[in-house]
Amino acid sequence: MFVIIINLILMEYLLDFASVGYVTRELFSCTILYTFIFSLLTASPFNAVLSRYMSDVIYEERYQDILPCYHIGMLLNIGLSCLLGIPFCLWEHFVGKVPTAYVFCGFCGYISLVLVFYSMIYLSICKDYQRISQYFFFGMLVAFVLALILHFILKWETTWSMLFSLTIGFFVTATLENALIRRYFVRNSNHYRPVLQYFRKYWKLIFTNFLYILGLYIHNFVFWTTDMRMEIAKSFVCNQPYDMASCLAMFTNISATIIFIARVEMNFHEKYKLYSEAVIGGKGADIDNAKKRMFRQLSSELTSHVSCYQRVGDGGNIAQLPHQFSVGRLFGLVEHDLVQPVFLCVQNCRSDLFPHRLRVAGFAAEDHGKEPVAVKDFAGETIVDQSALQHFLIQGRGTAG
């Protein structure tokens, strides 16, 4: 994703995108926006079921059944994408009066991106993330060089050069991913019916995954109906200020997701492996212990990304904290089969700085050879001073008072 964005920025700068007319710029921007949003939406209904089928196939070591799954999934993804994309493109051409070649190029880019996202599911199973990144980089490199050639040598118009080049870049990436999948999975059992049966068996996953992906963009669709919306070529609708804000928000989510996945791959996988081995051949007590350790690790990873930096929010009110009040981070603690949020390392705390509605139910502390742990009391609550505190177990919040 970052490679595509950087490529777009470089092309806009070198091809002098700012000199293009406003309507032409917005038509190109909306074409790219719709290509990304609806390629994800049309692929979402099937991918969860296909992932479940592939997980079961790999567990049973029936690798010859992966290619039938790949073919069925590709047919379904392209079919649904065309079912929604073709009517829109016809409307764009006949009602919006957008040239046929421009519409067709945008449609090809949309289908190519659908194939790119779809093929990533299978390559993710192979854990060949480096190859996926290389293919994206190579595809965008082809797009960048081609855009320069089309604009400066063949004298194509700026947006035409960019749109056609991006379409070729997406197609190159999808082709490389397809070739790698066929190299990984050579054998083909031609058993297509079991794949279709999974859609009937796990039909709830179709709606669950679609609604999840829809939730990522539904707020954009809502703002597209307000009086701030902008309509381009009687076809595209957007809300430029809000779309930019949501785009920046997605960037922060991407970085957080990368960090979380990396930590889970490094730390959680080992606990999950031990739990799976206990299920296969362990005692009941071993299974329960492995399960608790696994969920304790998962809760730790989930909440370790939630940090308190110089302020604590409580019921909409924010208490600004001075320098001497330092909060490390939050992490999860499994207590009586419930995951509770836990404060880590509260140092040099003064009782008047704590939010009064925060109720501390208990704590575990250890002496690291520094000052002894001091217990203070305020408003009927118990807190612990000094850095020897290991964690607080937050039980609940009282009413405002």
Side-chain angles (χ1 to χ4, degrees), residues 191-350:
H191 294 161
Y192 296 99
R193 182 173 296 180
V195 184
L196 297 175
Q197 290 174 346
Y198 260 64
F199 284 97
R200 184 178 61 182
K201 184 177 180 180
Y202 300 104
W203 59 270
K204 293 180 181 179
L205 290 177
I206 298 175
F207 297 98
T208 301
N209 200 51
F210 173 73
L211 292 176
Y212 167 72
I213 299 298
L214 181 63
L216 298 177
Y217 301 104
I218 191 68
H219 52 94
N220 293 87
F221 301 157
V222 171
F223 274 83
W224 290 357
T225 62
T226 64
D227 54 359
M228 294 177 60
R229 73 175 192 165
M230 181 169 57
E231 189 172 312
I232 305 297
K234 298 181 180 178
S235 305
F236 297 98
V237 179
C238 66
N239 188 327
Q240 201 175 59
Y242 187 80
D243 290 342
M244 176 57 70
S246 60
C247 177
L248 296 175
M250 288 295 292
F251 289 163
T252 61
N253 288 340
I254 289 173
S255 60
T257 302
I258 292 172
I259 295 171
F260 173 71
I261 291 175
R263 289 180 62 90
V264 168
E265 286 286 341
M266 290 187 296
N267 301 326
F268 176 72
H269 178 73
E270 186 63 29
K271 296 291 191 299
Y272 178 75
K273 182 180 178 181
L274 294 174
Y275 172 68
S276 301
E277 292 174 351
V279 170
I280 294 174
K283 301 177 182 179
D286 295 336
I287 295 174
D288 291 338
N289 292 333
K291 181 180 178 180
K292 289 179 180 179
R293 285 194 294 267
M294 180 181 67
F295 278 104
R296 186 180 296 112
Q297 182 67 43
L298 181 60
S299 63
S300 176
E301 298 300 334
L302 282 171
T303 54
S304 64
H305 292 66
V306 182
S307 301
C308 297
Y309 296 104
Q310 300 297 322
R311 64 182 186 178
V312 173
D314 181 39
N317 299 319
I318 296 177
Q320 193 69 29
L321 305 177
H323 264 326
Q324 62 264 33
F325 182 79
S326 62
V327 180
R329 62 188 177 96
L330 289 169
F331 70 103
L333 176 68
V334 178
E335 186 80 12
H336 305 299
D337 296 326
L338 295 175
V339 179
Q340 304 277 6
V342 177
F343 277 108
L344 173 69
C345 281
V346 179
Q347 186 174 10
N348 295 331
C349 174
R350 294 209 316 266

Side-chain angles (χ1 to χ4, degrees), residues 28-275:
F28 172 80
S29 300
C30 287
T31 301
I32 300 300
L33 176 67
Y34 275 47
T35 295
F36 274 91
I37 290 180
F38 290 100
S39 61
L40 285 171
L41 282 176
T42 54
S44 61
F46 310 113
N47 290 349
V49 180
L50 296 172
S51 297
R52 174 60 189 265
Y53 177 81
M54 286 186 294
S55 299
D56 292 346
V57 164
I58 291 174
Y59 179 78
E60 298 171 4
E61 297 184 356
R62 294 186 289 113
Y63 303 109
Q64 68 276 10
D65 290 335
I66 291 181
L67 274 184
C69 175
Y70 179 71
H71 294 152
I72 288 290
M74 181 183 294
L75 181 64
L76 292 173
N77 273 277
I78 294 178
L80 181 60
S81 300
C82 290
L83 187 64
L84 297 178
I86 291 176
F88 179 83
C89 289
L90 292 175
W91 178 278
E92 182 184 1
H93 172 64
F94 290 107
V95 179
K97 305 302 179 182
V98 180
T100 305
Y102 194 94
V103 174
F104 181 74
C105 185
F107 176 75
C108 290
Y110 161 63
I111 296 297
S112 298
L113 196 57
V114 168
L115 295 177
V116 168
F117 290 146
Y118 172 67
S119 298
M120 285 174 60
I121 301 175
Y122 296 82
L123 295 181
S124 297
I125 291 177
C126 304
K127 298 188 181 299
D128 203 344
Y129 304 116
Q130 183 177 3
R131 195 65 63 88
I132 295 175
S133 302
Q134 290 173 352
Y135 288 166
F136 264 99
F137 179 80
F138 182 74
M140 290 303 99
L141 180 63
V142 170
F144 178 72
V145 174
L146 182 59
L148 297 180
I149 293 174
L150 292 176
H151 182 70
F152 292 108
I153 298 179
L154 300 182
K155 305 301 180 182
W156 281 31
E157 193 268 336
T158 299
T159 56
W160 281 80
S161 303
M162 294 172 65
L163 183 61
F164 182 79
S165 300
L166 285 173
T167 299
I168 296 298
F170 293 150
F171 181 75
V172 168
T173 303
T175 303
L176 292 173
E177 290 179 344
N178 179 270
L180 185 60
I181 290 171
R182 294 184 179 277
R183 194 175 73 182
Y184 273 125
F185 310 107
V186 180
R187 298 168 57 195
N188 188 349
S189 65
N190 293 317
H191 294 161
Y192 296 99
R193 182 173 296 180
V195 184
L196 297 175
Q197 290 174 346
Y198 260 64
F199 284 97
R200 184 178 61 182
K201 184 177 180 180
Y202 300 104
W203 59 270
K204 293 180 181 179
L205 290 177
I206 298 175
F207 297 98
T208 301
N209 200 51
F210 173 73
L211 292 176
Y212 167 72
I213 299 298
L214 181 63
L216 298 177
Y217 301 104
I218 191 68
H219 52 94
N220 293 87
F221 301 157
V222 171
F223 274 83
W224 290 357
T225 62
T226 64
D227 54 359
M228 294 177 60
R229 73 175 192 165
M230 181 169 57
E231 189 172 312
I232 305 297
K234 298 181 180 178
S235 305
F236 297 98
V237 179
C238 66
N239 188 327
Q240 201 175 59
Y242 187 80
D243 290 342
M244 176 57 70
S246 60
C247 177
L248 296 175
M250 288 295 292
F251 289 163
T252 61
N253 288 340
I254 289 173
S255 60
T257 302
I258 292 172
I259 295 171
F260 173 71
I261 291 175
R263 289 180 62 90
V264 168
E265 286 286 341
M266 290 187 296
N267 301 326
F268 176 72
H269 178 73
E270 186 63 29
K271 296 291 191 299
Y272 178 75
K273 182 180 178 181
L274 294 174
Y275 172 68

